[in-house]
């Protein structure tokens, strides 16, 4: 990204890695042809699925679209999906897409999701500056009051909120892809950086957006999904 345009902007290393990863994915998907749209179509189906393994595939694909290195571990007690940028950021997901919306999130689910922070420290490269965010994705908007004590750094978000992020990053990549055949690699990287930054989709932004509802501050009183989503919308 060594150009007058990007030299005038301070691009942090974490965002630069994400942009490089998105560019690599764009090359893999192809700047022409139908493969990209097939992947987009499958990803949205996966993110709308209640079946947990299918939803995990959607999380993995979305993480890659955002520039993270995404994996779906398959061991007993493992998290459902992990998004990482080197040793700097690890977002670790416990997905409960099959939850019935009107019930509270229970103790066992909270304990399981919170435990993934320790899993990351055991299985991923970390240092004293590493940011680890354990999250639970569930259509439920209330928590069993007895479970709150077990939620230390755990945050909550809805499948519908995940869909919003998917739509935003899809629009960015689709715009860049439309112009990519006539652009140099350098210009594609510049355009990706500009649009990802403008739409608040950098790894820092994603970390912030997924941190807006700590589980320990959730309530046992019922809230509508609309109220929940309105509070979550990005600034």
């Amino acid at each position: 990204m060594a150009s007058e345009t990007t030299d005038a902007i301070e691009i942090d290393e974490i965002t630069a890695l994400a942009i490089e990863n998105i560019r690599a994915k764009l090359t893999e998907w192809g700047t022409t042809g139908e493969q990209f749209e097939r992947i987009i179509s499958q990803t949205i189906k996966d993110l709308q699925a209640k079946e947990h393994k299918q939803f995990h595939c959607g999380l993995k694909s979305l993480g890659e679209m955002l520039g993270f290195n995404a994996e779906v571990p398959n061991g007993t007690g493992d998290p459902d999906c992990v998004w990482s940028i080197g040793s700097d950021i690890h977002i670790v997901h416990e997905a409960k897409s099959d939850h019935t919306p009107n019930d509270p999130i229970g103790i066992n689910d909270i304990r399981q999701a919170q435990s993934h922070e320790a899993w990351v420290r055991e299985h991923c490269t970390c240092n004293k500056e590493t940011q680890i965010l354990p999250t639970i994705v569930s259509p439920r908007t209330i928590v069993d009051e007895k479970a709150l004590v077990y939620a230390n750094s755990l945050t909550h978000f809805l499948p519908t909120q995940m869909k919003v992020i998917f739509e935003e990053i899809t629009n960015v990549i689709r715009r860049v892809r439309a112009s990519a055949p006539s652009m140099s690699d350098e210009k594609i990287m510049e355009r990706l950086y500009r649009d990802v930054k403008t739409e608040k989709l950098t790894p820092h932004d994603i970390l912030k957006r997924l941190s807006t509802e700590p589980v320990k501050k959730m309530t046992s009183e019922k809230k509508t999904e609309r109220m929940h989503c309105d509070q979550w919308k990005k600034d």
Side-chain angles (χ1 to χ4, degrees):
M1 294 189 198
S3 71
E4 293 182 3
T5 303
T6 51
D7 284 347
I9 304 172
E10 290 188 10
I11 304 177
D12 65 276
E13 183 177 352
I14 293 172
T15 300
L17 284 171
I19 296 302
E20 289 174 4
N21 289 340
I22 296 171
R23 175 67 181 97
K25 275 295 172 182
L26 185 56
T27 299
E28 179 183 325
W29 296 327
T31 55
T32 60
E34 299 179 358
Q35 183 178 2
F36 173 73
E37 292 300 336
R38 286 198 298 268
I39 291 170
I40 293 304
S41 178
Q42 185 60 54
T43 300
I44 190 57
K45 289 179 182 177
D46 292 342
L47 288 173
Q48 293 174 328
K50 291 185 178 180
E51 198 280 322
H52 63 282
K53 288 186 178 180
Q54 184 176 356
F55 189 82
H56 301 168
C57 291
L59 281 179
K60 182 178 186 295
S61 182
L62 176 57
E64 291 172 343
M65 291 174 69
L66 292 164
F68 291 93
N69 295 310
E71 64 170 322
V72 176
N74 57 13
T76 302
D78 288 352
D80 294 326
C81 189
V82 183
W83 295 353
S84 301
I85 295 286
S87 62
D88 297 288
I89 295 176
H90 299 295
I91 300 175
V92 54
H93 303 281
E94 179 63 33
K96 299 296 181 183
S97 55
D98 59 344
H99 268 172
T100 50
N102 294 327
D103 295 312
I105 303 173
I107 291 176
N108 289 339
D109 290 337
I110 296 301
R111 281 175 168 170
Q112 181 183 24
Q114 181 63 65
S115 73
H116 294 330
E117 181 176 359
W119 186 96
V120 168
R121 295 192 185 281
E122 179 68 24
H123 293 85
C124 302
T125 303
C126 298
N127 55 57
K128 63 180 181 179
E129 304 297 332
T130 300
Q131 299 179 77
I132 302 173
L133 180 67
T135 65
I136 183 166
V137 54
S138 168
R140 297 178 177 178
T141 59
I142 56 175
V143 180
D144 185 327
E145 186 175 353
K146 295 179 181 178
L148 294 174
V149 68
Y150 299 104
N152 181 17
S153 57
L154 184 65
T155 66
H156 166 263
F157 59 99
L158 299 165
T160 51
Q161 294 171 336
M162 191 65 73
K163 183 172 177 283
V164 170
I165 295 176
F166 166 79
E167 290 170 347
E168 291 171 355
I169 191 60
T170 296
N171 289 338
V172 166
I173 297 174
R174 190 175 275 140
R175 287 196 303 267
V176 175
R177 184 174 180 268
S179 302
S182 62
M183 298 168 66
S184 66
D185 284 349
E186 181 181 2
K187 290 298 182 182
I188 290 172
M189 297 281 275
E190 290 177 7
R191 176 71 183 275
L192 279 171
Y193 173 78
R194 186 189 71 193
D195 287 11
V196 165
K197 188 78 171 177
T198 298
E199 297 299 327
K200 297 184 178 179
L201 293 168
T202 71
H204 304 291
D205 293 320
I206 296 301
L207 192 69
K208 180 179 178 181
R209 291 173 67 175
L210 300 186
S211 301
T212 54
E213 185 169 44
V215 169
K216 61 186 177 182
K217 293 186 178 180
M218 290 177 71
T219 177
S220 58
E221 297 178 359
K222 290 186 179 293
K223 299 187 286 185
T224 66
E225 184 173 311
R226 181 175 181 80
M227 290 172 60
H228 188 92
C229 285
D230 286 346
Q231 290 178 345
W232 176 84
K233 286 179 180 177
K234 64 184 180 182
D235 296 334

